[in-house]
Amino acid sequence: MKTDKVKLLDMVALTVDLPEDKLFKGQVGTVVDILADGTAYEVEFSDRNGRTYESLGLSADQFMILHFEPMTTKV
């Protein structure tokens, strides 16, 4: 992640593989908590039916924020 400010409910995608948690680069999750004064984030991964299959703390360098609207500046 670059200079984006991570916010609650941001949609994010993993940029690393986490095989010990059965999560891999590209999997999409939602930020559900901001931890350690903003140095870590609880990210929840859910299936298409909304059932959580994993929730874990990640550092900002392990994911990128997904943007669904046109951006006027590069992040």
Side-chain angles (χ1 to χ4, degrees), residues 32-75:
V32 294
D33 201 2
I34 298 173
L35 309 170
D37 294 323
T39 60
Y41 305 89
E42 184 77 15
V43 179
E44 187 174 276
F45 296 87
S46 302
D47 65 18
R48 291 176 192 251
N49 296 314
R51 288 184 292 243
T52 300
Y53 59 86
E54 188 63 72
S55 182
L56 68 155
L58 299 173
S59 61
D61 62 347
Q62 293 178 295
F63 62 83
M64 63 182 286
I65 297 173
L66 299 177
H67 300 278
F68 297 95
E69 300 295 328
M71 299 184 61
T72 57
T73 60
K74 184 177 179 181
V75 265

Side-chain angles (χ1 to χ4, degrees), residues 7-53:
K7 299 180 294 304
L8 286 178
L9 303 181
D10 274 348
M11 297 289 294
V12 299
L14 286 176
T15 57
V16 296
D17 291 333
L18 302 171
E20 64 278 4
D21 296 303
K22 297 184 176 111
L23 295 170
F24 299 93
K25 189 185 305 185
Q27 284 187 268
V28 175
T30 304
V31 175
V32 294
D33 201 2
I34 298 173
L35 309 170
D37 294 323
T39 60
Y41 305 89
E42 184 77 15
V43 179
E44 187 174 276
F45 296 87
S46 302
D47 65 18
R48 291 176 192 251
N49 296 314
R51 288 184 292 243
T52 300
Y53 59 86

